[in-house]
Structure formats: C-alpha cells, structure tokens
Amino acid sequence: MTTGQTERTGQDGPGPATGEGTARALTTLLTCAMAFSMMQLFLLGALGPRLVADLGVSPTVLGLTTTVGFATAAVLSPVGGRVVDRVGPRRCLVVLLAVAAVALALIGTAPGSGVLLAAVALGGLPQALANPATNKAILAVVPPGRRASVTGMKQSGVQWGAFAAGLPLAALAGLTGWRGAVWTAAGAAAVAAVWAARALPADPSAKSTPAVWVPRGMTAWLMVFSVLLGCGIASVNTYLSLYGTERLGLGPTSAGALVAVLGVSGIAGRLGWSKVAGRPDRAVWLPGSLAAGAVAAALLLAASSLARPLVWVGALATRMLAVAANAVSMVLIMQRAAAGRAGQDSALVSAGFFAGFAVGPPLFGLLAEAGRYNGGWLLVAAEFAGAAVVALLWSARERRSVVRS
C-alpha cells in the first residue's frame, strides 16, 4: 500500500459523500478561511504607503510587521497541526476566523507601531491553523478524485485575500481612510466565523495522535523548499507596492493595484497547477520547475526600473509560478501523508513557509531603506533559485527510488 493509499483509507477520510451544492459551499468556506488567515498582512502591504504617512512607520518597521506575524505562525504551526489532528477542523476553523477578526480590528485601532506589531502577532494564530485545518476538512469530506482541484481552489483563497486588499479595500481606504478599510475586513471575518460554526459538519470525538516535531522524508525536503520560497514571496508581497510608489512613480491606488495583480494571477496559478498536480507523477516535479520559473519573474521586477511596464509582467509571473508552487506542496502532502498525520505534516511544511516569510522581508527591507531595490529583487531571484535546487534534488531522489523499486 502506498502512502497516498494509506492516507485515503486512514483516519483522515474520506467521510460521508457530499452533494454538489454542499461541496461548493464547503469549498467557498475553506477559500474564505484561507483568505482571512493572511488578510492582515496583505492589507499592510496594500496600505503600506498610507501607513507610512499616517503612523510614521519606516520601511524597515513595515517589513518587521511581516516578520512578527510569520515568526509567530512558524512557532505555532507544529502545535497547531497537532491540535487540528486531535480536535478536528471545524473547531479550529471557527477559532481561526474569530481570531482573524480580532486581529484586524486591533490593526484598525492601532495608534502606532507597538499595537500594530501586537495585532500582527495575534494574526499568526490563524495562519498557523489555516493549512492543517483546511487540508483536514478536505480529507474528511472530499472524495480522492476531487481533492487536488478543491485544494487548489481553497489555496487560491490567499490570493483572493490579496486581490481584496489591493483593489476593493484599497479603493475603500481612499474614501474612508485606511482604518475604515481594515474595520470592514474585520467585520467580514466575524461573519465568516459564524458561517463556519453553522455550516461545517461536526468534528469527531477528540483523539490522541502521536506528536511529530522533527520533519522526515518528503516533509523535510518540502519544509526547506518552503523556507526559501517563502523568503522570496514575502518580500514581493511586502515591498512591491512601496517600490511602485518610491521608484516607479505610481500613485497609492495604482500601487495597490499591483497587489491586486498578485492576487488575480495567484488564483489562476494555484487553480491551474494544483489541477496538474492531481497526477502524482507530475506533482513530484512541479515545485522545482515552478520555482525555477519564478527566478525569471524576479529578474523582470529588477529590470522594471529600466522599463516600468515590466513590473506588471513580473508581478503576474511571480504569483503564477512561485505561489502556485506552495499550493502544489500542499497537494503532495495530501497525496502522501501517513494516516492521521495530514494536519501535522501540513503544519510542518507551513512552518517552513512562515519562517521564510519572517526572514525574507527584513533582509529586503535593509536594501530598500538604502534605496537598493534592484539588489532586493536579485536577492529574491537567488531565494527562488535555492528553492528550485532543493525541490529538483528531492524529485530526482524520488525518481531514483521508484526506479530501484
């Protein structure tokens, strides 16, 4: 029996068959959960120019908000994965959305950088729960043949969050101020928490699961890959809007639209490439190939200082490739996780991704504060290149093991 077969017949699912309407509602809810899990960070990126002007935060402090949020998520993720495996996805998704609403409300009331950083740290909890809880919900309810496509759709929720932050909420900030936009997002998260409590199937009785704190095998490779990938993606998320205003002469609304482009292209990338990853033989090679393509996207961002339209192409390609690679890694976990371990394995890979998100922006921020944005984009290209090497080495190793067997 393969690891994928073990997962499909183990504790994680599938559960009772669901009707088409119920399946669509579940997918929509999981997509919303992923969107709100990171909404606060996308809003900080999209509204960065306004925050710098209103609260007097420096570019380095702006990058520190991302570091604090993702460092918290990285620390909490292994524990969060075990909690999801133990108590079930419904309870965890309700907590995720409720805490996201509180964190957004705190950002909306922040008088300065101190409360802002505390609110972002609180927002690390929803991030830590997001992938384990949503993956576990899919394994419990969705038939195996549809899991890759549903995973791609719910992973696209992060990009829907980026789109919402970069376009409608950024536009709302132009009318009501940035605080009004953040409070609107907080209210929407609270509504989603009530929806999750009413709509999700009841969790099974809490059960004890063996704790695994050290990643092994595929999980270890994907964790290292995710660290490097996260470094590059987080730098683009945090600084692309500020780069547009400071170096390319874009207005705040146009710079926010860059974040919206990240969102739309990321949705398409995650949906398309996750569907391709539904075939396990293809899924093994996709993370490395997509990360290698993201290197070219980062180089386009560097070249945009000479030809401004390239920033739109680079932004689109980054999300179509790099962000999709993260979604494919989640598909791999669901295909290959041992029975009852989907939550913990998802959490360990997510912890690597969040660690990269914590490390990448401060490094880029040092270059940005010195006015060396081109150096920052070259650093992003190097991080994507490292991720590609790690993933391709793993896929070659997997191919050799299959040939030997």
Side-chain angles (χ1 to χ4, degrees):
M1 180 178 290
T2 67
T3 54
Q5 290 170 326
T6 300
E7 180 60 70
R8 286 191 290 271
T9 58
Q11 300 174 27
D12 292 319
T18 57
E20 190 64 28
T22 303
R24 282 198 299 268
L26 173 69
T27 303
T28 302
L29 178 55
L30 297 182
T31 303
C32 287
M34 294 299 295
F36 283 115
S37 72
M38 289 180 58
M39 177 66 75
Q40 73 274 16
L41 295 175
F42 284 125
L43 277 171
L44 291 175
L47 304 177
R50 291 183 169 92
L51 287 169
V52 168
D54 188 33
L55 298 183
V57 298
S58 68
T60 299
V61 171
L62 188 64
L64 188 60
T65 61
T66 301
T67 299
V68 168
F70 283 104
T72 305
V75 170
L76 293 178
S77 282
V79 176
R82 190 180 183 198
V83 168
V84 172
D85 279 338
R86 181 176 175 81
V87 307
R90 179 180 178 271
R91 298 181 183 97
C92 292
L93 285 168
V94 172
V95 169
L96 181 163
L97 290 162
V99 173
V102 172
L104 286 164
L106 284 175
I107 291 173
T109 62
S113 59
V115 175
L116 189 68
L117 292 173
V120 172
L122 178 63
L125 178 59
Q127 293 167 239
L129 292 173
N131 276 317
T134 54
N135 286 353
K136 194 83 170 181
I138 290 171
L139 287 168
V141 177
V142 179
R146 296 190 57 196
R147 287 176 185 167
S149 60
V150 173
T151 300
M153 177 59 76
K154 69 94 176 175
Q155 290 294 127
S156 75
V158 176
Q159 309 316 310
W160 280 112
F163 174 79
L167 199 58
L169 289 173
L172 180 63
L175 299 174
T176 66
W178 67 269
R179 294 184 191 274
V182 175
W183 287 330
T184 299
V191 171
V194 174
W195 179 22
R198 295 172 62 88
L200 287 171
D203 290 319
S205 300
K207 53 183 176 289
S208 178
T209 57
V212 179
W213 305 109
V214 179
R216 293 183 175 85
M218 177 197 68
T219 303
W221 284 92
L222 288 180
M223 191 173 182
V224 176
F225 165 78
S226 296
V227 170
L228 294 165
L229 191 74
C231 282
I233 292 174
S235 296
V236 176
N237 288 350
T238 305
Y239 286 104
L240 186 60
S241 178
L242 200 60
Y243 170 69
T245 58
E246 290 191 350
R247 287 291 176 269
L248 303 184
L250 300 179
T253 301
S254 296
L258 273 176
V259 180
V261 168
L262 296 181
V264 172
S265 55
I267 292 166
R270 286 190 161 186
L271 290 175
W273 290 115
S274 293
K275 186 174 181 179
V276 174
R279 285 183 50 177
D281 57 328
R282 293 178 178 174
V284 171
W285 291 99
L286 275 178
S289 301
L290 293 172
V295 175
L299 294 177
L300 287 175
L301 293 177
S304 66
S305 61
L306 302 175
R308 191 166 70 175
L310 290 178
V311 73
W312 300 95
V313 181
L316 187 150
T318 299
R319 306 307 276 190
M320 287 286 291
L321 300 169
V323 174
N326 171 250
V328 170
S329 71
M330 288 296 111
V331 174
L332 281 166
I333 289 292
M334 295 172 71
Q335 288 174 343
R336 293 166 172 253
R341 281 273 309 280
Q344 293 186 75
D345 286 354
S346 298
L348 288 170
V349 173
S350 295
F353 194 56
F354 296 148
F357 267 60
V359 172
L363 297 177
F364 194 108
L366 294 174
L367 295 169
E369 198 146 336
R372 298 173 58 189
Y373 277 101
N374 276 3
W377 300 131
L378 293 177
L379 173 63
V380 169
E383 290 159 349
F384 287 154
V389 169
V390 169
L392 291 172
L393 285 173
W394 170 74
S395 58
R397 181 174 176 271
E398 287 293 296
R399 182 180 179 86
R400 287 195 299 270
S401 67
V402 169
V403 170
R404 285 196 299 269
S405 63

